Amino acid sequence: MSRIGKKPVALPKGVSAEIKGQSIEVKGPKGTRSFTATDDVTLSLEDGAVKVTPRGTSKRARQQWGMARSMVENLVIGVTDGFKKELEIQGVGYRAAMQGNILKLSLGYSHEVNFEVPQGVTVTSPKQTEIVVEGIDQQLVGQVAANIREWKRPEPYKGKGIRYKGEFIFRKEGKKK
């Protein structure tokens, strides 16, 4: 049995859920999100909580059970608190600045990198060496943060580049003389 799937997803105050067949739509203070579950699980609203149950004992049904419950929980967290990824930039002359809907990155290249921010995500740069990605869709927030990081991944010798806040970079020793 799925330990994650067994727990119902509680709906906090100000959040409402509507189930139509295999899809669920969650509305909250930050917006609306929806998810369509596979045919292997059943979604139901009971006592102000969303309950996910498998439709059989097949391996796929048990796999989808915990996954569907986690997806519904992420919808609820997204519309109440939202998701946030913080990036930090290290390196001499490396900086970031927001100009309208475009994140301008100076990363030691011969040109500035212009990163266009997609809809559904807000990107801010509180300091020149910090980038904050926020939104209600966890997958989109993580993907945008990964795309920004991809422009200059941290290198193991000096540690220069864009990294997630708190990320440990394994450092290597340079050439010996």
Side-chain angles (χ1 to χ4, degrees):
M1 292 204 57
S2 172
R3 292 177 185 205
I4 294 170
K6 278 193 273 187
K7 295 185 219 166
V9 179
L11 296 174
K13 231 179 195 169
V15 176
S16 63
E18 190 179 315
I19 297 172
K20 289 181 184 169
Q22 287 301 101
S23 62
I24 181 169
E25 189 174 277
V26 180
K27 292 179 183 156
K30 289 206 174 213
T32 305
R33 295 274 299 124
S34 62
F35 166 69
T36 304
T38 61
D39 291 330
D40 299 311
V41 294
T42 307
L43 301 170
S44 60
L45 257 170
E46 296 173 13
D47 305 326
V50 178
K51 195 165 174 73
V52 181
T53 51
R55 283 195 177 161
T57 56
S58 68
K59 186 174 182 178
R60 180 160 166 77
R62 289 178 302 176
Q63 289 170 342
Q64 295 296 319
W65 184 18
M67 194 274 303
R69 191 252 179 219
S70 294
M71 293 295 285
V72 171
E73 185 181 34
N74 287 339
L75 297 182
V76 173
I77 293 170
V79 297
T80 52
D81 305 327
F83 294 99
K84 180 179 184 180
K85 283 268 188 190
E86 295 180 26
L87 299 161
E88 50 190 24
I89 302 173
Q90 279 192 345
V92 178
Y94 290 12
R95 61 181 58 102
M98 280 300 295
Q99 281 190 350
N101 195 32
I102 294 174
L103 177 68
K104 292 197 175 279
L105 300 166
S106 299
L107 301 171
Y109 295 126
S110 60
H111 55 85
E112 264 192 352
V113 174
N114 294 329
F115 182 82
E116 195 168 326
V117 180
Q119 279 189 331
V121 174
T122 56
V123 176
T124 54
S125 183
K127 294 183 194 168
Q128 285 188 339
T129 57
E130 284 183 12
I131 302 168
V132 179
V133 183
E134 293 176 296
I136 62 172
D137 186 355
Q138 185 180 29
Q139 193 273 331
L140 189 61
V141 168
Q143 188 62 54
V144 169
N147 290 347
I148 293 171
R149 183 181 183 268
E150 194 69 26
W151 279 103
K152 193 79 162 187
R153 288 196 304 274
E155 50 97 14
Y157 296 102
K158 291 185 178 177
K160 297 183 346 181
I162 303 173
R163 65 178 73 186
Y164 296 112
K165 195 165 202 150
E167 180 183 8
F168 175 75
I169 304 301
F170 183 75
R171 302 296 285 272
K172 291 183 179 177
E173 197 175 321
K175 279 190 202 174
K176 292 187 175 82
K177 290 186 178 180

